[in-house]
Amino acid sequence: MKNKQLYFPMLLVAMSLGTAWAIRGQFGHEYGAAWAGAVGTLSILFVARRTDWYAKLFAATLAGAIGWGLGGIASYGILVGYGRGDDFINVYYGLLMLFVIGGLYGYVGGALFGLALTDSPQKPVKWHEVTVEMVVGAAVAYFFLIEEFEWYMTPPRSEMWAAVFGAAAALTWYLVRNNHTSALRVAAFSGLGGGFGFAFGNFLQVLGGLTGIKFNFWNVMEYSLGFFGGLGMAYGTFTSEWERTANTQPKSRTWFPLLMSMLFIPYVVWEQSFSVERLQGIFSKLDFAPESDIYRTVQLVALAFVLLMAALWWVRYYLTKTNPLSYSASEVYALFLGHWGLYVVYSLLVTGAFLSSYRIEQYLYIVNWVVVAVLIRNAEVSFAPRAIDLPKWGKNVVLVIASIALLTLILINSHGELKNSHKRFGAPPPVEEKK
C-alpha cells in the first residue's frame, strides 16, 4: 500500500510535466520551459497534501519555473541530429550530450524547487546569495570551458550549456555548505530523470520516424524528457525529509511570485510566440490567406486568456485573502489544472489545432489533462524519507550511461544514415576549393 501511495502520485506528476514539456515544444526557449516547470511543481505541491507547502504555493512554483526554464538557453538541435547517424561514436556522443542537457534542466529545476520548500523564517534561504553565485558560476564556467578550453558541445550552435553547467555547480556548492540535503536529493533525481528522458526520447524519436507513421515524434522526445524528469523530481521530493514550516505566509511574500508565475511568464510566451508573422507561417498550411483576419483574432484571444486568468488568480488567491494567507487543497488543485489547461489552450491556438486535426498529438494533451485531473484529485503521497547514498547514486549514473550505450547499439543496427544526421567524429575534412 505504501509503495502505491508513493509510485502512483509519481506517475501523475510525470504525466503532468511530460505533457507540459511536450506543449513547450510549440514555444521553446526559457519561457516555454518555465511554464512547463511551473505545471510540474504545482502537481507535486498538490499531491503532497502539506498545508505548509500550500502556504508557499507561488514561491515554490516560481522557483521550479525559473529552475526548469534556465536550461532553455542551451542549444540541442545539433545533438538530436547525431542520433540519426549510423556509427557508434557519433550516436553515443549525441545521446550522452542530450543526457547532460536534460540533466541540467532537471537538476537546476529540482534544486531551486527544493530550496523553496525549505525556506522559512527559522532557516531562510539567502536568495540574493544564490542568484549572485549562480550568475558568477555561469560566467566563469563559460569563460573557461568555451572561451579558453574551447570544449564545444554543439558547434556551430550556441554553447550556453556551459553557463547553465556553471550555474548548477555554484548552486550545488550553496546546497552543500548550507546543508540543504533534501533539496540536493530532489536536484539529483530530477537531473538523472531529465537526462535519461532526453536521451531515451531521442532514441524513441529516431525509431518512431522509421515506422513511417505520420506523427510528431519530436514531440515524443519532448514528452519523454518531461515525463522522466517529473518522475525523478517527484521521487526526490517524496523520499526526502522536510521540516515543517508555517501554515501561513504574509501577503508581502506572495504578490511578486504570483504575478511572475501567473502573469509575466505566460505574457512572455504570448509576446514571443503569437506574432502575426509566425501565425501566418503556421496557418498557411491550413490554406488561410495572408490577409485573413484570423491571425489578429488568435493573437488577441490568446492575450485575453492570459490577462483574464491572471486577474482571476490575483483576485482569488491574493485580494480576497486575509493577511497572513493560506491555501486549501481544492485551491491548489484549481490552480494546477487552470494553469496547465491554459497552456494546453495556447498550444491549440498557436498550432491551429482548434481548426484542423492535422496535428493529432495536440488532442493527446487534452486526454492527458483529463486523465490526470480525474485521478490526481484523490491521490495523496506517502512520504518515504531516505538518506543520501553517494555510492548508490554513482552506480545509478553508471547504469544510465551503460543503458544509453545499449540504446546506441540498437539505433545503429536499426537503420543506415538518415536524413538530417550529423557527424562530428570521423567525418572527412573539408575539401579546399582550387582557385
Side-chain angles (χ1 to χ4, degrees), residues 253-271:
R253 301 188 64 181
T254 302
W255 69 268
F256 179 75
L258 190 160
L259 291 178
M260 286 293 292
S261 55
M262 298 295 129
L263 175 60
F264 180 74
I265 292 174
Y267 174 78
V268 173
V269 170
W270 172 82
E271 191 271 333

Side-chain angles (χ1 to χ4, degrees), residues 350-409:
V350 81
T351 59
F354 67 100
L355 293 170
S356 170
S357 59
Y358 82 110
R359 294 287 298 272
I360 190 171
E361 81 281 353
Q362 299 293 310
Y363 311 109
L364 295 178
Y365 303 156
I366 301 175
V367 173
N368 274 259
W369 186 91
V370 171
V371 169
V372 172
V374 172
L375 296 180
I376 204 171
R377 189 175 184 86
N378 297 314
E380 182 175 355
V381 70
S382 176
F383 283 78
R386 295 167 190 174
I388 288 180
D389 188 343
L390 291 179
K392 188 175 181 180
W393 286 10
K395 292 178 182 178
N396 289 339
V397 172
V398 171
L399 181 62
V400 170
I401 292 175
S403 68
I404 293 175
L406 178 60
L407 298 180
T408 301
L409 287 173

Side-chain angles (χ1 to χ4, degrees), residues 233-358:
M233 186 164 70
Y235 179 80
T237 303
F238 301 151
T239 59
S240 296
E241 190 169 356
W242 306 92
E243 293 182 6
R244 282 277 171 182
T245 54
N247 291 335
T248 60
Q249 287 283 315
K251 294 181 76 171
S252 60
R253 301 188 64 181
T254 302
W255 69 268
F256 179 75
L258 190 160
L259 291 178
M260 286 293 292
S261 55
M262 298 295 129
L263 175 60
F264 180 74
I265 292 174
Y267 174 78
V268 173
V269 170
W270 172 82
E271 191 271 333
Q272 293 289 310
S273 305
F274 282 87
S275 66
V276 170
E277 293 76 14
R278 186 186 184 212
L279 292 175
Q280 286 175 334
I282 296 173
F283 280 52
S284 62
K285 302 173 184 176
L286 306 179
D287 297 325
F288 282 95
E291 63 275 8
S292 173
D293 293 333
I294 192 168
Y295 311 115
R296 186 66 64 183
T297 300
V298 169
Q299 186 184 57
L300 294 177
V301 167
L303 177 60
F305 271 128
V306 164
L307 297 179
L308 288 173
M309 291 297 286
L312 172 64
W313 305 137
W314 178 255
V315 172
R316 181 66 186 85
Y317 290 77
Y318 187 80
L319 285 185
T320 60
K321 288 289 183 180
T322 57
N323 189 24
L325 52 74
S326 61
Y327 299 112
S328 65
S330 60
E331 288 175 316
V332 178
Y333 177 74
L335 182 70
F336 162 58
L337 291 183
H339 197 51
W340 183 16
L342 179 59
Y343 209 19
V344 174
V345 170
Y346 254 43
S347 187
L348 296 174
L349 287 173
V350 81
T351 59
F354 67 100
L355 293 170
S356 170
S357 59
Y358 82 110

Side-chain angles (χ1 to χ4, degrees), residues 7 10-22 68 189-190 193-194 196-198 200 220-234 368:
Y7 298 134
M10 284 172 51
L11 175 63
L12 297 178
V13 171
M15 291 178 64
S16 302
L17 185 53
T19 307
W21 204 268
W68 278 94
F189 285 105
S190 182
F196 173 77
F198 211 177
F200 184 61
V220 173
M221 177 178 66
E222 293 164 328
Y223 188 94
S224 177
L225 192 165
F227 181 90
F228 286 100
L231 204 66
M233 186 164 70
N368 274 259

